Structures are given as structure tokens and as C-alpha cells.
Amino acid sequence: MTGSQSSLRGANRALVVETVKRYGGLTQVELTAATGLSPATVSSIVKELLAAGVVDTTNTVRSGRRAQLVTIARTTGLAAGVDVGRRHLRVALADVTREIVAEQSLPLPAEHRADTTLDRAALLVVDLLERVGATLDDLVGLGVGLPAPVEPGTGLVTVRGILRGWDEVPVVHVLAKRLAKPVLVDNEANLGALAESRFGAARGYQDVVYVSVGAGTGAGIVLAGRLHRGFGGTAGEVGHVQVDPQGRICRCGSRGCLDTVVGYPALVEPLAASHGSLTLRDVVQRATEGDPGCRQVVADAGAVIGGVVAGMAMVVNPQCVVVGGELAATGEVLLAPMREAIGRRVPLNQVAALDVVTGELGVRASVLGALAMVLEATDQAAATGAAELGDLADYGDGGGS
């Protein structure tokens, strides 16, 4: 009986902690409503967590009454991570121990404008800081991921047309001006690779290719534990490898790029007659539930992507290929044909076989990588005495897995 009560108590404590993390900060009354626990239980658990240093409490006002805001305890300083996708914006805060204290995502319209999207990102960072009882003074820096190759020092997209409406936009300058904090920018697949290699499916591997598959396809490369961006930042742009010489014109200006064959429009168009209008999320859900048509288009995409990744593997010789992004949620529906295509083209190494696995961090990989980028740069700045994060040329490259 005592063991059962102890297990229940532990489960309730975990529920309270996860609920506070999810919302950033809640009063005890709000915690009671959100968890379904009794007020007495919530009050008792909050006291235990406060004594243990797991949470902090500060005075606030709700509906004209004084209350105590419960937030996750943190050490000095917070980092913000921003993942700007083609159709989503995701923002998270973490403390210097890598503990996420608040997170939120929202959809974006197609072809969203840079100015409005960056305004939303800045406002969302400030909102999350307020939720956890912090201010901009607590923010050590901001990491941003974009679905395009970028010049890290400025955040400029280096290949015109890939991210329409973002050409000539110095993301670093724009966000630094809005928030008055150091800003670091990288390609979203690079950040996914960083996150998976630091605390995801690629932990323990030194040479990794991370493939992000969703509305578009990109890859991040980690060699000897360090991100490899290439001379102009375009290493890993597999979405623009030609796979159909007679295919459609891509947004980059070339013909028959991988993105024109396995990107969002190419996935849903073959299903329009039989399934009607579908979103990428619909395709993923239905494929997971066993819909034959959706499973077929995902499998076809996996085979084509696998052929391109095989070419990378022949050149880079990674220990592991990690597959992430929205389409990776279909699991073996996507991975099995990818693995087969890679296996046909990459000579079997009897000493060290190539592992092809699903990422552990899901669609959050890029925002987690953005946080890791800032926090690793903060560590390096402290170690080298750099004036600010922007002084570091090799941010996000240091450290092992």
C-alpha cells in the first residue's frame, strides 16, 4: 500500500512539473484546473518541489487577486530557440542546464513574409519570458533556424528563390534590433543534425547525416562531432539535387530537384482524385493508420530520398543516417524504402555497417538545435572571454556528443 501511494505521489509530482513546463508558468489555482488534482495535493506538491529546487514561486495577480506563480527553477540566464518552417513557427526557452522551461508553436501561411514572421517570433520570445517570470535581461541569446542555406554572420539566405520573400533580409540584424540580444542563425537541417547528435538518435556517433523530410527536404552533416556547412553554407542541400532531368522547375530555378518530386505538392497531388484536398499532416496520419494510397506516396518518396542520400553516404561515409521532420512520423513506411535504396547503392561495409534510424526528437529537432547552438556558443564565449556570442565564428561546432 505504501509503495502504491509513493508511486502515485511520484506520478502526481511529474504531472505538475510537466504541466508547468508546458505552459511556462501557472498559479496553483490554474495548476489544479490543468492537472485535475485537488487544490490540497497541488499545494503540497508545489511546496515539495520548491524545497527541492525544482520550481520557483513569485507573486503575481490573477483576476484582481494576489497569487503565486509557479515556474520551473532555472540557473542564471535563458536561451531562446526559434524554428521558422515553411508553414510553422516554433519557439522555446531553455536555461543553461539545457532544461526547456517554456515552448509554443503556431502555424504560418504559405509564402509567409519575413517582416511579419520575425515580428511574431520576437513577440513570442517576449511572451514566453513573461510566462516564466523572466525579462529580456535574463536572455543570453537567440538561435534561429531557417529552411534555407544561410550566411551565419548575417542570417542572409545565400541562394535566391529558395525561401521566397526572405532574400536580402539580414535576420541577425533584424532580430538583434528588436530584442537587443545576440542572434545566431543557421539552416534548420543543420540544427536538427546538431540536436540529434548532442542528445538524440545520433548520440555516440561522430559522423552523421541528418535528413529532414517534410514540406521540403534538407540534410545536415556532422563530421568528427562538428557541423559541416561547406564553403558557402550549402552543404546538405539535398532538396535541390536533380532527380528528374525532365521534371518541374524548382523554386531555386533548376529543373527536377528532389523537392519537386517529394515535397508537399508532389505528395498530395497524386492523392487528390481519390482523397480530396489533404494537408501534409493528413497524409502522415492516414499513412500511419494504414491508408494504402497515403502509404504508397510516402514509400515512393522514401525510395527517391534514399537514392539521393545514398550518394551522400558514398562521399561522406557516415556511421549513421538519422531521418527527422514531419514525414518521419510515418516510421518504417518511409524508412524501409529509404533503407533499401541506400543498401542497394552503398557497398556493405563488413567492419562498420551504416545505421539508418528515425530521429528521437521529432519535429522539435530544429528548435532544440537552435537552443543548443546558443548555449554552446555561450559556453565558448565564457571560456574564451569573447565579448558576445556573435564574436564566435564556429558556434554550435564545439563539444562532443
Side-chain angles (χ1 to χ4, degrees), residues 139-215:
L139 194 66
V140 298
L142 177 73
V144 182
L146 296 180
V150 298
E151 197 284 309
T154 62
L156 285 167
V157 175
T158 58
V159 179
R160 296 187 65 86
I162 288 184
L163 192 58
R164 289 175 186 155
W166 289 72
D167 294 327
E168 311 300 332
V169 178
V171 176
V172 168
H173 173 73
V174 171
L175 284 175
K177 185 176 181 180
R178 280 168 170 73
L179 298 172
K181 291 293 176 180
V183 178
L184 304 175
V185 182
D186 208 332
N187 172 265
E188 58 90 17
N190 285 345
L191 296 179
L194 181 66
E196 290 286 359
S197 67
R198 294 298 189 259
F199 32 79
R203 289 189 309 275
Y205 294 99
Q206 287 293 299
D207 301 310
V208 177
V209 168
Y210 170 80
V211 185
S212 177
V213 187

Side-chain angles (χ1 to χ4, degrees), residues 348-359:
L348 295 177
N349 189 322
Q350 296 182 13
V351 177
L354 174 61
D355 295 328
V356 181
V357 299
T358 304

